Amino acid sequence: MARIPRIVLPGQPHHIIQRGNNRSPIFFVDDDYRLYLRWLSESCNKHDCAIHAYVLMTNHVHLLLTPTREDTICRTMQTLGRRYVRYINETYQRTGTLWEGRYKSSLIDSERYLLTCYRYIELNPVRAGMVNHPEDYPWSSYHHNAYGKKDTLISEHYLYLALDSSVAARYRAYRQLFATDIDNKSVNSIRECTHKGWVLGNDRFKE
């Protein structure tokens, strides 16, 4: 079966999901999470890729990022993935693939869906029943976006910055976004578009 070509638009945000093979764990101890984030940062810097939001779950990761070139995402994920797989195989004396095929990617209509994608990503641990609130989960961008905790991995999107010109007010406005649940239609649209590699946006944006 032929691979579905990914739609990549430089300068526009994309939602990325990469899962462990057979949905098996890809993180085992805290150092695994820390190394993944450090190498993700290095790979993004090397290939000019901006990360806006992320969450590292036990068996998959979600990233919201903006590429500068058509090959930026591919190179970033390849560099990171190969390095991390080598580390996991050597550390845990395993062989074979770690990932469940290629990463999934969806081009995002930023004006309509960007902040919803922020919430979708950072609420993953809540939907999974791991925590009651995203601030209780340590391996996501929520602490930076909602409280300003230093995270050198994050590049703030202009729509996030537009929440308020005051930094403190911006954090409050961002936290307020999480006061209500994401509607089921939006959740299902994000999931389907990312899984199938579709564009997430209105008809005009898709065209």
Side-chain angles (χ1 to χ4, degrees):
M1 182 180 294
R3 287 182 173 181
I4 299 174
R6 293 194 181 100
I7 301 173
V8 179
L9 184 61
Q12 194 72 22
H14 296 65
H15 177 213
I16 306 294
I17 299 178
Q18 188 159 35
R19 297 188 181 277
N21 191 38
N22 293 322
R23 307 212 172 188
S24 298
I26 55 176
F27 303 106
F28 302 94
V29 298
D30 287 356
D31 279 349
D32 299 344
Y33 293 92
R34 294 190 187 101
L35 281 172
Y36 184 95
L37 290 175
R38 189 178 86 191
W39 291 337
L40 173 60
S41 179
E42 291 175 2
S43 187
C44 285
N45 290 335
K46 180 178 180 180
H47 299 294
D48 296 322
C49 189
I51 299 285
H52 311 302
Y54 68 84
V55 66
L56 310 186
M57 305 294 282
T58 54
N59 64 359
H60 67 283
V61 301
H62 289 261
L63 307 173
L64 182 62
L65 53 81
T66 297
T68 57
R69 303 180 307 275
E70 287 191 11
D71 65 348
T72 292
I73 298 176
C74 179
R75 290 182 180 275
T76 297
M77 298 304 292
Q78 283 181 351
T79 299
L80 169 65
R82 290 168 180 168
R83 189 175 188 183
Y84 187 72
V85 169
R86 185 166 60 249
Y87 157 75
I88 289 293
N89 285 351
E90 291 176 354
T91 301
Y92 298 102
Q93 298 181 345
R94 65 182 300 281
T95 58
T97 183
L98 179 67
W99 308 117
E100 186 179 75
R102 302 190 302 164
Y103 63 86
K104 308 292 186 181
S105 174
S106 176
L107 174 64
I108 304 298
D109 179 352
S110 55
E111 298 292 336
R112 184 178 178 90
Y113 282 104
L114 181 80
L115 292 175
T116 302
C117 283
Y118 269 80
R119 294 164 62 207
Y120 176 87
I121 288 170
E122 294 173 353
L123 281 168
N124 254 258
V126 178
R127 286 195 299 274
M130 301 170 71
V131 295
N132 293 321
H133 194 275
E135 69 182 17
D136 300 324
Y137 192 73
W139 308 111
S140 87
S141 52
Y142 182 82
H143 308 89
H144 174 90
N145 291 326
Y147 292 102
K149 182 179 178 181
K150 185 178 180 181
D151 189 336
T152 57
L153 176 59
I154 296 298
S155 297
E156 293 162 341
H157 193 275
Y158 73 87
L159 289 177
Y160 167 83
L161 295 174
L163 287 171
D164 203 286
S165 58
S166 162
V167 174
R170 185 185 309 140
Y171 296 149
R172 288 195 298 270
Y174 188 79
R175 294 195 297 270
Q176 189 60 33
L177 295 176
F178 290 77
T180 57
D181 293 333
I182 306 174
D183 63 273
N184 289 333
K185 182 178 179 180
S186 294
V187 169
N188 292 334
S189 293
I190 292 171
R191 285 175 175 166
E192 183 176 35
C193 288
T194 307
H195 178 72
K196 296 182 178 180
W198 292 350
V199 174
L200 178 63
N202 60 28
D203 290 340
R204 181 178 178 183
F205 180 81
K206 291 175 181 178
E207 184 65 26

